[in-house]
Amino acid sequence: MSTSTGDAPLLAAKGVGVEFTTRAGTVATALDGVDLQVSSGEILALVGESGSGKTTLARTLVGLQRPTTGEVRFEGAPLSYSGRALRRLRSEVQMVLQDAAGSLNPRQTVYESVAEGIRLHRRAASDAEGRNEVELVAAALAEAGLRPPERIFLRYPHELSGGQKQRVLIAGALALRPRLLVADEPVSSLDASIRGEILALLLGLRESLGLGIVVVTHDLGLAWNIADRIAVMYLGRVVECGTAEQVLESPRHPYTRALLSVVPEIERITPIVLKGEVPDPTRIPGGCRFHPRCPAFADGTAASAGIEDNCRATPLPVLAATGEHRVACHLVSAPQS
């Protein structure tokens, strides 16, 4: 796998928090101090259960959600949220949504769907190679693996397979020649055979175009196949982060081990069933936010290590975006007897 190609990250989040006020007037904490970065030519996977904050973080990284605290930086400069600044950002950072069928306008042809961004950003007028709109649309579709592209110009979404729809969404993003793609569950609704094709496509785009890619997924098996680095999220926080090899071959957080234990490709970990659901973000547990569901807390391991009270009451620090394998867990940092 490729590694980052530059000293400065392409996109970085520093202390990012996002809060929403519910209809009842309570505050829901969707993100709580997230440090993260991704470089050109790197694939970062955000993994975790539904409700862990992955999609909110993805939307915040591309400027669709403004952080309540902290900031997002692109090439070292904080994001501006003016209409003009966000439009410029859209030409550099594109998001590919998980629901291809729902994201494509059923009344637009494939050509119109891909050309929409080109027209909005006036790409045909500024193309360095002097290509017109038709050539730009054809090139984007071809890069997304739809060849020959002209054959599907006039097709509508209902005439396409699930894999073709996902490729059209990716082509729409590629048409703007972005430097970073954020893909939210890009293969969750696809058959296994098509999933492999889309993952191979993303890997190929990283190699051929030097794209940075953030993949949001609940599937650690997918992350195993595609990611350079992995950030495991739980209830708005990154709880473990490192290279794919570090996180997946030597998981240190009890939550990561539980997620890995149910991946079919991995047989060396005894299956761990987590009790309950991710807690309500309006009532985040004290101390380690995972402790109410933590197997190590429930089976007495934390008590034996003398950290049970810490798990209940002592907050854990935010994991830094840089460095080696990092884990936010009292048990991991407890002195070893």
Side-chain angles (χ1 to χ4, degrees):
M1 291 184 178
S2 296
T3 56
S4 58
T5 56
D7 294 329
L10 184 60
L11 190 72
K14 180 65 177 176
V16 166
V18 171
E19 294 180 344
F20 300 103
T21 301
T22 68
R23 292 181 179 178
T26 56
V27 175
T29 304
L31 297 176
D32 182 21
V34 174
D35 281 11
L36 204 69
Q37 64 182 41
V38 60
S39 299
S40 298
E42 177 181 51
I43 299 180
L44 170 69
L46 301 179
V47 302
E49 297 168 285
S50 296
S52 62
K54 309 184 302 297
T55 294
T56 300
L57 178 56
R59 289 175 55 83
T60 304
L61 292 176
V62 301
L64 291 174
Q65 174 65 50
R66 191 165 185 165
T68 308
T69 57
E71 64 181 12
V72 177
R73 290 176 169 262
F74 182 72
E75 292 191 313
L79 295 194
S80 171
Y81 294 89
S82 68
R84 180 176 296 179
L86 287 176
R87 180 174 171 175
R88 285 198 300 269
L89 180 69
R90 296 286 180 273
S91 67
E92 301 279 1
V93 181
Q94 279 283 299
M95 189 169 186
V96 178
L97 301 175
Q98 62 175 314
D99 181 14
S103 300
L104 293 172
N105 187 333
R107 298 183 179 180
Q108 282 187 332
T109 62
V110 167
Y111 181 92
E112 292 294 322
S113 293
V114 177
E116 188 172 16
I118 294 172
R119 293 168 184 169
L120 180 64
H121 292 270
R122 298 171 183 164
R123 273 292 187 262
S126 60
D127 182 59
E129 299 177 24
R131 294 175 294 182
N132 60 32
E133 180 183 286
V134 174
E135 291 170 324
L136 290 174
V137 171
L141 288 168
E143 285 174 338
L146 293 167
R147 301 184 183 91
E150 295 81 5
R151 290 182 61 182
I152 66 165
F153 272 3
L154 300 182
R155 291 190 189 177
Y156 288 89
H158 73 271
E159 300 176 288
L160 305 176
S161 68
Q164 287 174 324
K165 291 174 187 175
Q166 194 65 48
R167 289 176 187 271
V168 171
L169 277 187
I170 293 172
L174 294 177
L176 297 181
R177 316 312 294 170
R179 299 172 62 195
L180 180 76
L181 282 183
V182 178
D184 187 3
E185 297 281 7
V187 297
S188 61
S189 61
L190 302 177
D191 294 337
S193 59
I194 306 301
R195 284 162 56 97
E197 292 179 8
I198 298 298
L199 294 181
L201 170 63
L202 293 176
L203 286 168
L205 292 173
R206 185 267 296 274
E207 297 299 333
S208 62
L209 302 178
L211 288 176
I213 301 176
V214 177
V215 177
V216 176
T217 180
H218 66 278
D219 184 354
L220 275 168
L222 180 153
W224 187 295
N225 289 318
I226 196 172
D228 297 307
R229 288 191 302 120
I230 293 175
V232 181
M233 296 191 67
Y234 185 79
L235 201 55
R237 279 271 181 102
V238 175
V239 297
E240 184 161 7
C241 189
T243 66
E245 290 78 10
Q246 289 169 336
V247 173
L248 300 178
E249 294 182 3
S250 303
R252 299 171 66 193
H253 199 285
Y255 180 59
T256 308
R257 288 200 292 270
L259 294 180
L260 269 174
S261 75
V262 295
V263 175
E265 297 90 336
I266 301 174
E267 299 178 353
R268 56 185 170 81
I269 302 178
T270 302
I272 302 169
V273 179
L274 293 177
K275 296 181 180 179
E277 304 290 335
V278 177
D280 186 333
T282 65
R283 296 191 296 273
I284 293 178
C288 171
R289 58 194 60 205
F290 182 57
H291 87 262
R293 302 176 69 205
C294 179
F297 187 86
D299 68 12
T301 302
S304 298
I307 58 158
E308 189 175 25
D309 290 341
N310 288 344
C311 294
R312 284 199 183 97
T314 304
L316 287 154
V318 173
L319 293 183
T322 58
E324 289 300 311
H325 194 180
R326 301 173 303 288
V327 186
C329 175
H330 289 299
L331 187 61
V332 171
S333 57
Q336 302 298 309
S337 57

